[in-house]
Structure formats: structure tokens, C-alpha cells
Amino acid sequence: MTVKRISNKDLERAAERVKSDKKYGREGILIASALKQFPLNHDKAIVSMKICLIDLTNGTNLMRNLGKDGGIYDLAEKITKVDFDKRVSCGDLSLVNELAKWTKEKLGKNLFSFISKYCLYHNVHCYNRDDFVIYDSVLATQMYQYISKEDYQMLTGHTLYKNSIKKYKNNFQYEEYKKVIDFILKENKISVEKPHRKIDWLIWYENR
């Protein structure tokens, strides 16, 4: 299988496509505006509203899966108790695993994907950083095309299959997942601003 290559131009073009898209561009503006106005995560009501906005715009179905049992309240309360703002502002990647494991244990749902988005959006929009990466179903099924089997074996010690990326969610291995993306960025000599945000846009928009 030929490895898909990406360039700085590809990433910038993908970012522009998403931003100019009538649906996704406007939703991105809403998320950015809301988080900049309400950056902190100390109040359950504010956190709940941000959870619902990100859920609605990203189609993560939290309201359907958690709403009937009060899970949104529980998740918001948990976020207020993990020193979220300090940890996300300095790029503490362990926050994703910690919160995702808690959702699996306490709410019965592995919200690894949603938590990665909640952390990334705050990291980008509130602190103008690029420490986090998004995990979602599109990246989980398509990212194997962007790394060779040999490189993946060297990097992780495992054989690369089409569904290999899914294990990072199932095993709560966020930092290992990010290492794969970092390797892809390095191999392609990516030097654009906020490459973690833009590689998500590229792979997601082309394969959604």
C-alpha cells in the first residue's frame, strides 16, 4: 500500500476549506466564541453548556447516550474537579485518559473521542496552543494510510492493520495515539502553525 503524503500546503488548504464551509465553518465560530467568553471550567452550569455545544456541533451523541440518566451533569461536575484549566493550559495529555476512563467506569460509556475534543478546543481557543489532537471515528479508520507498516512497527512495536488506531481509544492510550500523529507530521516535514489541529481537518474532511 502506498503511504499518503501530506504537505504544508495540503494542511493549510484543508483548514481553509473547513473554515469556509457553510456548516462546519459557522459551527467552529460558535465554539471559538463560546470558549473565549467562558474559558474556565469551575461552574457546572457553564461546563454543561459547553459540553452540549461541542456535542451538538461534533455529533458525538452525548445527549442521546447520557442525557436520560443525568450523565451530562455528572460529566460536568467531574470536569470541575480535575483542575482542568491548569492542566489543559499546559498540555497535560494524561487528562484525556483520566477523564475517558472515568466516563467508562462511572457512566458506562468510553468518551475518549469527546474528551479529546473538549480538551483540544480549550487548548486552542482559550490558550492559543496546539498540544492536543482529536480522536474520532474518521481518523481511527483512515489514519493507517498515512504511515507505513514498517514505520508503525518501529514506532509502536505492533503490526499495522486498518483497525489498529481504534485500540488507542479502547486501551486509553492517548499519548501513544498522539505519538503516531507526531511521527506523521515529522515524516512529512510539516511546519505550519497548529499542525495537530490542521491534520485532523485534513484527514477528517477528505474522508468523512
Side-chain angles (χ1 to χ4, degrees):
M1 184 188 74
T2 302
V3 177
K4 285 189 175 182
R5 306 297 294 179
I6 59 176
S7 67
N8 287 323
K9 187 177 291 185
D10 293 330
L11 265 65
E12 297 290 21
R13 189 182 299 119
E16 288 303 315
R17 284 205 306 265
V18 172
K19 290 176 181 178
S20 63
D21 187 285
K22 185 174 182 179
K23 178 180 187 294
Y24 302 116
R26 289 178 175 181
E27 290 176 348
I29 291 171
L30 287 176
I31 293 172
S33 178
L35 268 59
K36 287 175 181 177
Q37 290 183 66
F38 303 100
L40 300 181
N41 288 267
H42 301 157
D43 182 271
K44 288 192 292 292
I46 297 296
V47 174
S48 295
M49 287 190 288
K50 291 192 289 185
I51 287 172
C52 292
L53 174 61
I54 293 171
D55 172 45
L56 180 64
T57 53
N58 285 266
T60 47
N61 297 314
L62 294 194
M63 293 302 296
R64 185 180 68 185
N65 293 325
L66 301 180
K68 62 182 179 180
D69 297 319
I72 300 295
Y73 180 99
D74 293 334
L75 177 57
E77 184 175 52
K78 177 64 175 179
I79 289 173
T80 66
K81 294 181 177 180
V82 294
D83 204 10
F84 182 92
D85 301 314
K86 180 179 179 181
R87 294 173 68 182
V88 82
S89 70
C90 66
D92 182 356
L93 302 181
S94 69
L95 186 58
V96 176
N97 290 334
E98 179 181 331
L99 287 173
K101 287 179 180 178
W102 180 88
T103 64
K104 177 66 174 178
E105 294 169 0
K106 301 299 182 180
L107 304 180
K109 294 287 183 179
N110 181 352
L111 301 184
F112 188 88
S113 176
F114 176 80
I115 297 301
S116 74
K117 294 169 184 174
Y118 196 84
C119 289
L120 177 138
Y121 287 136
H122 281 82
N123 185 256
V124 170
H125 296 305
C126 303
Y127 305 104
N128 195 32
R129 292 172 62 105
D130 188 50
D131 301 301
F132 291 84
V133 294
I134 281 179
Y135 174 97
D136 64 21
S137 59
V138 175
L139 270 72
T141 56
Q142 301 298 328
M143 207 167 76
Y144 77 96
Q145 301 179 77
Y146 297 83
I147 185 170
S148 71
K149 291 184 177 181
E150 294 77 15
D151 284 338
Y152 187 83
Q153 176 77 40
M154 176 273 296
L155 185 66
T156 69
H158 299 287
T159 303
L160 178 65
Y161 299 105
K162 287 185 177 181
N163 64 349
S164 290
I165 306 303
K166 292 182 179 180
K167 72 177 183 180
Y168 296 108
K169 171 185 175 179
N170 298 334
N171 297 333
F172 304 102
Q173 294 177 302
Y174 184 72
E175 293 177 58
E176 288 80 359
Y177 168 69
K178 183 174 179 286
K179 284 179 183 177
V180 177
I181 293 181
D182 285 340
F183 182 87
I184 293 171
L185 292 171
K186 182 178 179 181
E187 283 296 292
N188 287 277
K189 298 180 172 59
I190 298 301
S191 59
V192 298
E193 184 181 8
K194 293 186 173 63
H196 294 119
R197 186 72 189 100
K198 290 171 182 173
I199 193 173
D200 163 62
W201 279 332
L202 174 68
I203 298 176
W204 170 79
Y205 200 82
E206 289 190 346
N207 298 283
R208 71 194 194 287

